[in-house]
């Protein structure tokens, strides 16, 4: 196979990122693995889609660091027609570009849709990703798995909702990820509630969410593929993200640490509830962030932490993901009429 990995920018990738891990695994399994940044696409006058892409030149890589060093060399860049690819994985996180490059917000899904129209398998499905560009996508999942939530810019409504929750709630922006702009409202912060609402509302809508007591222990990142927990040899691709002292954010980018976790029946039941929508939306690989029996967030753009799951569980989950892409590409050859959304999770 020829696999393309779309990232925010090749220069800012890190060796330990899940994308690099998947690319090295694909190469070890005999496939081509090319990186392209979100600003590297072109739609040519003749209708051809191209991208400036880079790949390592060694036959095999045993080092994640060496592979990325080669990929990041400017002289490795080639102009490639995108219809040459069998699979393109959209692994860019729009939230990372929200401030510095707002133009990039929709670029991945827009070009992803064009690429899919050529018959190339694009995962996750770009049309559904377009609907998931804001946290409002989360509200389409069943209420039973979601914390009580209000989305508004009205200070009075938000204040009344916080009071209704007993004065303790989590406030965060509707757009964004990585734990940016997340506040815990409690007795200490109640006097600053209006100022916090104003600060978040300057950039858009405010998400006010029920605080779950179990969140003090962090959350669980569980990888889900084709709507089912990613599992290899009886081990689930999962880990607990613990919170830094005095911080409610368990995001790894905000200082959270990964520790081993046992996947519970409650977590598996939660996956059962969200599976139908993930499958119908063509969400091939996602990361569920779980606290107790509630779903806090769904990372559908660039779920990370596969290396942590491997290290803590002693299992390499990346080959299973590449094998699944192999199966889907073979299916596309036999059934070209199957659309991208269905094939992504079939």
């Amino acid at each position: 196979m020829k696999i393309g990995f779309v990232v925010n920018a090749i220069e800012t990738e890190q060796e330990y990122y899940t994308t690099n891990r998947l690319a090295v695994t694909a190469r070890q399994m005999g496939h081509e693995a090319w990186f392209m940044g979100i600003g590297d696409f072109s739609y040519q006058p003749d209708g051809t889609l191209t991208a400036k892409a880079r790949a390592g030149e060694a036959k095999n890589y045993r080092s994640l660091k060496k592979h990325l060093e080669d990929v990041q060399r400017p002289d490795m860049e080639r102009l490639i027609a995108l219809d040459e690819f069998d699979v393109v994985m959209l692994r860019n996180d729009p939230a990372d570009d929200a401030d510095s490059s707002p133009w990039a917000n929709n670029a991945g899904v827009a070009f992803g849709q064009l690429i899919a129209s050529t018959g190339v398998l694009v995962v996750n499905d770009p049309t559904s990703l377009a609907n998931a560009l804001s946290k409002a996508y989360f509200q389409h999942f069943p209420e039973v798995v979601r914390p009580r939530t209000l989305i508004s810019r009205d200070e009075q409504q938000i204040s009344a909702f916080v009071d209704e929750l007993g004065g303790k709630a989590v406030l965060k922006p509707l757009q964004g990820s990585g734990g940016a702009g997340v506040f815990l409202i409690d007795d200490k912060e109640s006097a600053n509630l209006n100022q916090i609402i104003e600060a978040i509302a300057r950039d858009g809508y405010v998400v006010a969410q029920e605080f779950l007591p179990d969140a003090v222990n962090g959350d669980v990142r569980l990888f889900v593929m084709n709507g089912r927990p990613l599992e290899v040899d009886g081990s689930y691709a999962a880990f607990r993200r613990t919170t830094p002292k005095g911080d409610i954010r368990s995001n790894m980018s905000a200082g959270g640490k990964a520790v081993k976790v046992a996947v519970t029946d409650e977590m598996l039941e939660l996956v059962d509830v969200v599976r139908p929508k993930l499958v119908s939306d063509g969400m091939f690989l996602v990361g569920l962030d779980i606290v107790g029996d509630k779903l806090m967030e769904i990372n559908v753009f660039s779920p990370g932490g596969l290396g942590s799951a491997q290290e803590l569980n002693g299992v390499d989950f990346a080959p299973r993901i590449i094998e699944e892409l192999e199966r889907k590409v073979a299916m596309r050859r036999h059934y070209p009429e199957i659309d991208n959304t269905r094939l992504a999770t079939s």
Side-chain angles (χ1 to χ4, degrees):
M1 293 190 301
K2 192 169 189 172
I3 306 176
F5 294 93
V6 179
V7 297
N8 290 71
I10 295 174
E11 295 75 17
T12 58
E13 285 295 291
Q14 301 293 325
E15 63 183 87
Y16 58 87
Y17 281 3
T18 293
T19 305
N20 189 45
R21 190 173 298 274
L22 290 171
V24 170
T25 298
R27 291 190 62 96
Q28 291 171 341
M29 295 173 67
H31 306 300
E32 293 184 44
W34 292 80
F35 278 61
M36 58 199 84
I38 198 64
D40 292 334
F41 295 114
S42 295
Y43 184 92
Q44 303 294 344
D46 63 357
T48 303
L49 289 165
T50 62
K52 292 183 291 185
R54 302 184 199 176
E57 59 185 356
K59 291 184 178 180
N60 194 17
Y61 286 93
R62 297 188 179 276
S63 165
L64 295 172
K65 181 179 180 180
K66 175 58 178 172
H67 174 259
L68 188 60
E69 285 177 348
D70 280 3
V71 168
Q72 290 178 329
R73 285 168 44 193
D75 62 308
M76 303 304 293
E77 188 171 277
R78 304 288 184 272
L79 185 66
I80 299 180
L82 287 163
D83 60 6
E84 294 180 15
F85 287 94
D86 297 292
V87 182
V88 168
M89 291 195 79
L90 299 177
R91 295 278 307 170
N92 64 296
D93 187 347
D96 287 352
D97 292 323
D99 295 326
S100 61
S101 305
W103 56 266
N105 189 47
N106 296 306
V109 295
F111 276 96
Q113 289 172 324
L114 290 171
I115 297 166
S117 71
T118 69
V120 175
L121 172 62
V122 180
V123 290
N124 291 335
D125 181 67
T127 299
S128 295
L129 286 180
N131 298 327
L133 282 170
S134 92
K135 289 188 177 73
Y137 175 73
F138 181 72
Q139 303 308 121
H140 291 282
F141 288 84
E143 186 177 353
V144 67
V145 299
R146 292 186 280 111
R148 293 186 62 197
T149 301
L150 169 71
I151 301 175
S152 177
R153 298 185 75 248
D154 187 284
E155 288 185 20
Q156 290 185 339
Q157 288 186 37
I158 297 170
S159 296
F161 181 64
V162 172
D163 288 341
E164 187 181 329
L165 294 174
K168 197 164 188 176
V170 175
L171 267 59
K172 54 190 176 182
L174 183 61
Q175 305 287 349
S177 67
V182 179
F183 295 88
L184 172 62
I185 305 301
D186 55 15
D187 291 338
K188 294 180 181 178
E189 292 291 342
S190 59
N192 302 318
L193 178 59
N194 288 341
Q195 292 95 320
I196 292 172
I197 294 172
E198 288 176 7
I200 300 174
R202 282 193 206 106
D203 297 320
Y205 276 84
V206 180
V207 178
Q209 201 168 63
E210 169 189 11
F211 175 77
L212 302 177
D214 286 344
V216 297
N217 299 317
D219 62 14
V220 173
R221 164 60 57 90
L222 175 61
F223 283 88
V224 172
M225 184 173 70
N226 294 331
R228 299 187 180 279
L230 176 56
E231 183 182 8
V232 174
D233 296 333
S235 294
Y236 291 105
F239 56 92
R240 183 177 295 282
R241 305 187 301 179
T242 60
T243 57
K245 187 175 181 180
D247 198 334
I248 62 168
R249 301 171 299 169
S250 54
N251 308 73
M252 306 297 276
S253 58
K257 302 296 182 184
V259 298
K260 190 170 184 178
V261 69
V263 174
T264 66
D265 289 342
E266 284 181 327
M267 298 176 195
L268 297 178
E269 289 170 5
L270 185 151
V271 177
D272 285 340
V273 173
V274 301
R275 176 182 302 125
K277 181 161 182 60
L278 292 176
V279 171
S280 66
D281 286 353
M283 297 298 183
F284 166 63
L285 184 68
V286 306
L288 304 186
D289 297 337
I290 303 169
V291 171
D293 61 350
K294 298 294 185 182
L295 187 60
M296 298 304 293
E297 288 198 27
I298 303 178
N299 189 320
V300 299
F301 286 96
S302 58
L306 203 64
S308 295
Q310 175 181 339
E311 181 179 346
L312 293 167
N313 294 285
V315 175
D316 189 356
F317 297 97
R320 180 71 186 85
I321 297 171
I322 302 302
E323 288 169 359
E324 190 60 20
L325 293 177
E326 291 174 342
R327 188 182 67 83
K328 293 179 189 298
V329 169
M331 190 185 303
R332 166 57 58 84
R333 295 191 183 111
H334 292 302
Y335 299 99
E337 70 275 11
I338 297 180
D339 64 37
N340 192 85
T341 306
R342 290 176 57 199
L343 182 61
T345 47
S346 294

